[in-house]
Amino acid sequence: MRIAAIVTLCTSPLLAQSAGVPRLGWIPADPPGRLREVVGLPGAAQLGPPLSFGAARILSIRPDRNIAVALRPDGTVGILHLRPGEPDAAWQTLEGAVHDADVAAWSPLGHVLALGSVAEGRLQVWHIEVEDTPKLAYELPVTAGRAAVSDAGSVLAAMDGALYRVSADGAMQLVSPHVSGAVTFLAGSDRFAWVEDSGVWMQGRDGPPVRIVLPEGASTNGILLASARGAPLLAAAPGPKETILASWNEHGEPVGQWRCPVSALGLAPSGQQGVFQLVTARTGPVWMAAFGDTGGRVFFVPARVEEGQQQ
């Protein structure tokens, strides 16, 4: 297993102006109601100019595209189209969506969206492609405080401390009576993982679940789970002063470890496949992680110097 050092970076003020510069997705920016695009390469990136989306609240950015699911103050759910180089995002109301959604989870590759409302007791599965009108695949009469959806549209729902796999016809199969944290499907797969107080578990196609061996020093307390094409299972275990990131293949075998000198509260997709923001309560540099076929990197992006200030 490979253990990677923290990767720092230097940037050029001309980077964002260069033609063909790679893009690493989007991150929330101050004041609220704005995003900034991350442009460049892992280890050599900077924040672009702000993109405004008004009074809406972003629930989740799609892992592989420049779109996000968002909530307006009146409870209307919609899709924000994030357009690089434009000052404002375009709003598209998601007709027929639950009101005041408090669960929003994209599938790992971004093809499917799960939307839920605890107040309404409804959980919806949507197919959303940029070129097509969003389509409601099916709706479940369940009250889920947490949910995950596979790239094929299967659903995991956490209810009353238990985790269920729910089929499109509403039939529920108990996965674990003791779920205590994050749940995720693996990218492009029907395998999935979840957190219990006893550890992180992965369910394969057949046989009993496999317990995932966490890195030394990692705890299940507050652990975050995600999946991407280059990291079938990704975990971020926050501590008081640092976060340990680790990845495993689809069989639960360890692949790599990384350490980041901040305590992560969230692991948020950025809009580019395999790229995540480590959400923290701290101001200053933005910490991110990128995973692909050649491995992973943890890096920071300097905080943006606002217009009119000197760098």
Side-chain angles (χ1 to χ4, degrees):
M1 180 172 58
R2 183 176 62 255
I3 300 178
I6 296 168
V7 179
T8 58
L9 63 98
C10 58
T11 63
S12 163
L14 298 178
L15 186 60
Q17 303 172 25
S18 303
V21 170
R23 301 178 185 277
L24 296 173
W26 303 84
I27 62 164
D30 290 327
R34 301 198 304 179
L35 293 170
R36 288 191 186 275
E37 191 177 20
V38 183
V39 293
L41 296 168
Q46 68 181 40
L47 300 180
L51 179 144
S52 175
F53 54 89
R57 176 169 61 90
I58 287 181
L59 300 176
S60 184
I61 297 175
R62 178 170 163 162
D64 69 330
R65 295 286 177 90
N66 290 323
I67 63 175
V69 60
L71 186 68
R72 280 182 165 168
D74 65 359
T76 301
V77 175
I79 299 297
L80 287 173
H81 296 266
L82 313 177
R83 302 174 293 190
E86 297 290 332
D88 300 296
W91 172 271
Q92 176 187 5
T93 297
L94 196 55
E95 301 291 348
V98 296
H99 192 74
D100 264 335
D102 37 33
V103 172
W106 294 96
S107 67
L109 298 181
H111 304 301
V112 187
L113 172 68
L115 273 179
S117 168
V118 171
E120 295 182 357
R122 299 160 64 199
L123 183 66
Q124 298 176 328
V125 174
W126 290 81
H127 290 279
I128 298 180
E129 296 297 340
V130 174
E131 300 83 4
D132 300 323
T133 301
K135 297 180 178 64
L136 178 61
Y138 61 93
E139 180 174 306
L140 300 168
V142 298
T143 303
R146 184 181 296 109
V149 63
S150 76
D151 292 303
S154 298
V155 168
L156 292 170
M159 297 177 284
D160 299 323
L163 182 65
Y164 298 88
R165 187 163 186 174
V166 190
S167 62
D169 62 4
M172 296 194 298
Q173 176 188 1
L174 179 65
V175 173
S176 169
H178 305 299
V179 66
S180 61
V183 297
T184 186
F185 277 94
L186 274 59
S189 172
D190 59 358
R191 299 172 188 252
F192 54 89
W194 70 95
V195 177
E196 298 181 2
D197 289 339
S198 62
V200 177
W201 296 84
M202 179 190 290
Q203 179 65 61
R205 293 183 177 87
D206 301 298
V210 175
R211 183 171 182 170
I212 299 298
V213 179
L214 298 177
E216 183 178 356
S219 164
T220 58
N221 185 29
I223 196 167
L224 309 162
L225 298 181
S227 180
R229 188 174 285 111
L233 178 59
L234 175 66
K241 296 183 178 180
E242 70 170 5
T243 296
I244 301 172
L245 288 94
S247 67
W248 297 262
N249 63 20
E250 62 274 16
H251 304 294
E253 299 164 342
V255 174
Q257 290 182 32
W258 302 262
R259 291 178 182 266
C260 180
V262 292
S263 182
L265 302 174
L267 195 59
S270 72
Q272 286 292 320
Q273 179 58 222
V275 182
F276 300 86
Q277 180 193 3
L278 281 81
V279 181
T280 74
R282 293 171 48 175
T283 58
V286 177
W287 284 92
M288 303 186 75
F291 301 91
D293 294 336
T294 59
R297 298 185 74 177
V298 173
F299 60 99
F300 74 85
V301 184
R304 174 82 179 193
V305 177
E306 295 297 334
E307 291 79 1
Q309 296 181 0
Q310 295 296 317
Q311 293 202 43

